[in-house]
Amino acid sequence: IGGGLDVGNGRGRVGAGGCIGGGQVVCVVVPMGVCFVTTGPLMLVFAALNGIGEAFILTVQMPFIIEWAPRKQATAAAAVSSSVNAASFMLGSLLGGAASGYLMKLGWSVNRARKTVIVFSTILMCCGIGVVALRDPVHILMLISVVTFGFQAWITNVHTLPSDSFRATHVASIAALGSLGAVLDAILFT
C-alpha cells in the first residue's frame, strides 16, 4: 500500500479519509521502528520502508484538501494548502535538525538526541489520525500541517542517522534505498 494506491484504487474504495488514516499507520510504525534499529541490514530495511511512508503521506494530502473544499474554493484551498505545507516542511526540517543539535550540545549522545527527536516527531504525526473526523477545511489543513512539520523533523533526523552510524562510503547507498522504496511504491501501485 502506498501513495499511488492511495490516490488511485484505494481512494476510490475507502475515500480520502481512509487513505489518510492508513497512511498515518505506516508513518507511525516505521518511525518508531527506526528508534530500535541497531544493525546495518535493519537500517536498510527501514530505509526502504521509509520511502513507502514518504509516498503515503505526501501524495494523499492534495486530493484530500480539494475533496473537502467547496467546489468554488478548491483552487484557493489548494494554493493555501501548498503554501502552508511548504512552510511547515521548512520549519520541520530546520527545527528538527536544530533540536537534535541542541540536545547534543547539552551532552546527549548523537544516538539518543536524534532518536528523541524522532519519537517526538512521530507523536506529532499521530495528530493526522484525527483528520478523518474533521469537516472544516481550516482544521484539516492545521492538522495536516502539524503532520508535515513532524514528518520533516522526523525525516531530517532519519536521513542523518546513516551518516552517524555508517562509513561515508555506505551512506549514499542507504539513502538511495529509501528513495528506491518510494519509486517502487509509485510504480507498483499506480
Side-chain angles (χ1 to χ4, degrees):
I1 302 174
L5 182 60
D6 288 341
V7 176
N9 297 331
R11 187 168 176 264
R13 290 188 182 127
V14 297
C19 289
I20 289 283
Q24 288 304 309
V25 170
V26 171
C27 289
V28 167
V29 171
V30 172
M32 292 306 283
V34 168
C35 293
F36 301 103
V37 171
T38 57
T39 64
L42 281 177
M43 181 67 81
L44 295 175
V45 168
F46 277 93
L49 290 174
N50 169 48
I52 293 170
E54 286 178 30
F56 231 136
I57 198 168
L58 295 176
T59 49
V60 175
Q61 70 186 21
M62 193 54 62
F64 186 70
I65 289 292
I66 291 170
E67 179 180 306
W68 286 87
R71 184 171 294 284
K72 292 181 180 180
Q73 297 173 344
T75 304
V80 169
S81 174
S82 294
S83 299
V84 170
N85 281 321
S88 67
F89 272 118
M90 179 190 66
L91 290 173
S93 182
L94 292 172
L95 295 177
S100 59
Y102 177 75
L103 293 174
M104 285 182 253
K105 285 182 182 176
L106 290 178
W108 290 30
S109 70
V110 172
N111 191 43
R112 181 178 174 210
R114 293 215 190 281
K115 289 182 177 181
T116 298
V117 174
I118 287 170
V119 168
F120 179 74
S121 301
T122 301
I123 292 167
L124 286 177
M125 287 190 285
C126 290
C127 293
I129 294 170
V131 166
V132 299
L134 297 176
R135 296 287 183 251
D136 180 30
V138 173
H139 292 127
I140 292 168
L141 179 58
M142 288 169 44
L143 273 185
I144 290 175
S145 295
V146 169
V147 172
T148 55
F149 175 89
F151 174 78
Q152 196 61 33
W154 172 79
I155 203 71
T156 297
N157 284 280
V158 167
H159 280 176
T160 309
L161 277 174
S163 66
D164 295 335
S165 306
F166 298 99
R167 292 181 288 171
T169 55
H170 294 120
V171 172
S173 298
I174 293 168
L177 282 173
S179 297
L180 175 65
V183 169
L184 288 176
D185 172 63
I187 290 169
L188 293 172
F189 296 110
T190 299

